[in-house]
Amino acid sequence: EFRRVLFRSIALTSCKKGAGDGGTSTLRGKIYGIDYNADFSMRLDSGYVPDENVYIIYGDNKTYDDNTNTSYDGTYEFKYLRKGKYTIYAYSKDSATAVAFGTKAVLQTVEITDNRSTVEVADIKINK
C-alpha cells in the first residue's frame, strides 16, 4: 500500500509542468528597428525589421530555450507553449558604448495564463 501511495504521489507531482514547449498557446510580436549613423547622433530610418533573430527564455532559465527569425514584416511567433512566464528578447546596438559592435539585449517579459491562447507581446525596439 505504501508503494502505491508513494508512486501515485510522485506521478501527480511530476505531471505539473512549468513554462516551456509542449502546450497549446502562442506568443506573437514584432521587432521595430531604428537605424542611426555610426555615433548615434542622427536617426536615418526606422521600421519593422525582417529576418531578425528573436530569443525566448522559459520561466527562470538563465539561457535561451528557443529562437526564431522575424518574417518580412517584422513579426515572430513562438508556438506550442504552456502556461507560465516567458522572456522574449532581441539584440540591439548599444548607443552607450564607444565600441562599434557593442550590443545589448532588449527584453520583454510576458505571461501565458490560459491554454489555447495567443498572447501579443509589446513591440521590441532595437537600434540597428
Side-chain angles (χ1 to χ4, degrees):
E1 184 63 32
F2 175 74
R3 261 194 230 152
R4 193 175 323 147
V5 171
L6 179 63
F7 176 75
R8 194 176 291 156
S9 173
I10 291 170
L12 289 175
T13 58
S14 65
C15 289
K16 180 169 173 31
K17 296 180 179 179
D21 58 1
T24 58
S25 295
T26 300
L27 292 176
R28 179 177 24 216
K30 286 186 166 190
I31 303 294
Y32 189 83
I34 303 169
D35 191 18
Y36 291 93
N37 62 352
D39 66 358
F40 288 90
S41 63
M42 186 175 11
R43 185 177 175 158
L44 303 174
D45 198 8
S46 63
Y48 289 103
V49 183
D51 200 34
E52 187 71 26
N53 290 323
V54 185
Y55 303 88
I56 187 169
I57 299 172
Y58 303 158
D60 294 329
N61 290 351
K62 300 300 180 204
T63 60
Y64 78 91
D65 293 288
D66 199 2
N67 68 307
T68 190
N69 283 28
T70 57
S71 184
Y72 69 94
D73 63 352
T75 60
Y76 63 87
E77 283 189 343
F78 291 100
K79 296 182 177 185
Y80 311 113
L81 300 174
R82 294 190 299 263
K83 291 190 277 188
K85 291 184 180 179
Y86 296 88
T87 301
I88 310 292
Y89 68 96
Y91 285 103
S92 173
K93 286 185 181 176
D94 189 355
S95 61
T97 66
V99 182
F101 53 86
T103 60
K104 65 179 181 178
V106 179
L107 311 168
Q108 286 284 357
T109 302
V110 65
E111 185 171 6
I112 296 174
T113 57
D114 297 312
N115 292 326
R116 295 178 191 80
S117 64
T118 298
V119 176
E120 296 291 333
V121 180
D123 285 357
I124 295 176
K125 296 180 181 171
I126 61 171
N127 297 326
K128 292 298 292 171

